[in-house]
Amino acid sequence: MTKVAHGTVTGFKGGEVVVRLDGDDPEAPAGRIPRHLLSWAAFEDPAQVVAVGRRITAEVQGVDARSGRVVLSAKACEDEALYRHLLRARPGDVVTGTVAAVHHFGVFVRLDGEPAHPVYPGTGFVRVPDLTWSRIDHPADVVRPGQRVTGEVIAADSYQGEVVISLKALQEDPWDSLGLAVGEVVAGPVTKVVPLGVFVRVRPAAEGLVHVSDLGGQLVAEGQELTVRVLEVDRVRRRIRLAAAG
């Protein structure tokens, strides 16, 4: 459970802000705010952000077992509206928003009713594996800026000030209706060639591996249609083993 602490800045040490938490021994302040957890704003010196004697509200990140120091994040609580927004997000909630930016590392979503984020174009964030069940080369293969999307909340991340959501969670898992039996012969395009063998798409959202020893000496290239026999379907590990047929 998220815990918020209150205290007073007493000084600076090694780039960190030293905080005497309410209830601390005045001579032994226990709170520390690391530089990267001080503020969303850019700064050169922590003293540009806070002054000695200032009252601080911060989220407790943890306690150093050896030193007993309480690690705090003032950044998490800096934007009150954003922090309240994050606290309201619960895993399993279904949220809707508009795609604000698409990057190779994930997708930012401007959630309906969200406050403005101090740094990012939206408070919602979709990690690449949470976009779709299908294999993709780039998130732009799935979504585009301005597109309306609906997803399920995975977690509220106060470190990044984001609501992590999954679009995939609300999509049907193609493995639930794979309909692929051991011994079945199917055809599909080669999607990737690797030293170990080749991957072949045997269903719209499912690929299997033909090990190099099961290619029968064939030389194949990406995009080539290959007829294969199903050797194994591992539902738990979501793996399909194939062999070239014919």
Side-chain angles (χ1 to χ4, degrees), residues 12-26:
F12 306 92
K13 185 175 181 180
E16 296 185 331
V17 178
V18 181
V19 178
R20 183 178 66 247
L21 297 172
D22 293 353
D24 273 354
D25 179 342

Side-chain angles (χ1 to χ4, degrees), residues 77-89:
C77 301
E78 186 176 41
D79 187 316
E80 185 178 350
L82 175 61
Y83 195 56
R84 287 200 307 267
H85 173 67
L86 297 177
L87 292 179
R88 286 194 298 267

Side-chain angles (χ1 to χ4, degrees), residues 8-237:
T8 304
V9 174
T10 63
F12 306 92
K13 185 175 181 180
E16 296 185 331
V17 178
V18 181
V19 178
R20 183 178 66 247
L21 297 172
D22 293 353
D24 273 354
D25 179 342
E27 301 302 318
R32 297 291 189 277
I33 305 175
R35 181 187 180 89
H36 68 285
L37 295 178
L38 181 56
S39 175
W40 289 106
F43 59 89
E44 294 293 331
D45 189 323
Q48 294 175 286
V49 181
V50 293
V52 172
R54 176 175 167 179
R55 292 286 294 167
I56 283 287
T57 297
E59 185 180 80
V60 176
Q61 301 294 295
V63 178
D64 187 309
R66 288 181 298 178
S67 67
R69 293 176 177 174
V70 180
V71 180
L72 305 168
S73 172
K75 181 170 75 171
C77 301
E78 186 176 41
D79 187 316
E80 185 178 350
L82 175 61
Y83 195 56
R84 287 200 307 267
H85 173 67
L86 297 177
L87 292 179
R88 286 194 298 267
R90 294 285 187 272
D93 287 352
V94 175
V95 294
T96 300
T98 302
V99 174
V102 180
H103 300 279
H104 68 89
F105 54 82
V107 175
F108 289 101
V109 178
R110 192 173 299 109
L111 299 176
D112 293 351
E114 71 169 23
H117 196 288
V119 176
Y120 305 133
T123 66
F125 186 72
V126 189
R127 299 173 296 204
V128 176
D130 295 317
L131 280 166
T132 178
W133 292 104
S134 301
R135 184 189 295 271
I136 59 173
D137 295 321
H138 191 279
D141 296 338
V142 182
V143 294
R144 64 187 185 281
Q147 180 178 337
R148 295 286 290 169
V149 293
T150 299
E152 182 178 300
V153 174
I154 298 175
D157 180 2
S158 62
Y159 183 85
Q160 296 288 355
E162 296 171 340
V163 179
V164 182
I165 64 176
S166 170
L167 306 189
K168 185 173 76 173
L170 301 183
Q171 302 166 5
E172 181 182 356
D173 184 348
W175 279 72
D176 291 341
S177 55
L178 194 60
L180 203 62
V182 172
E184 184 176 350
V185 175
V186 296
V190 174
T191 59
K192 192 173 185 179
V193 178
V194 295
L196 192 64
V198 300
F199 286 93
V200 178
R201 183 177 297 118
V202 291
R203 289 292 186 267
E207 297 178 358
L209 173 68
V210 183
H211 191 274
V212 66
S213 62
D214 293 318
L215 277 170
Q218 295 186 59
L219 296 177
V220 296
E222 287 187 19
Q224 178 182 334
E225 191 83 1
L226 189 66
T227 301
V228 294
R229 178 178 288 105
V230 179
L231 299 181
E232 180 185 13
V233 178
D234 188 332
R235 180 69 175 83
V236 175
R237 294 190 295 174

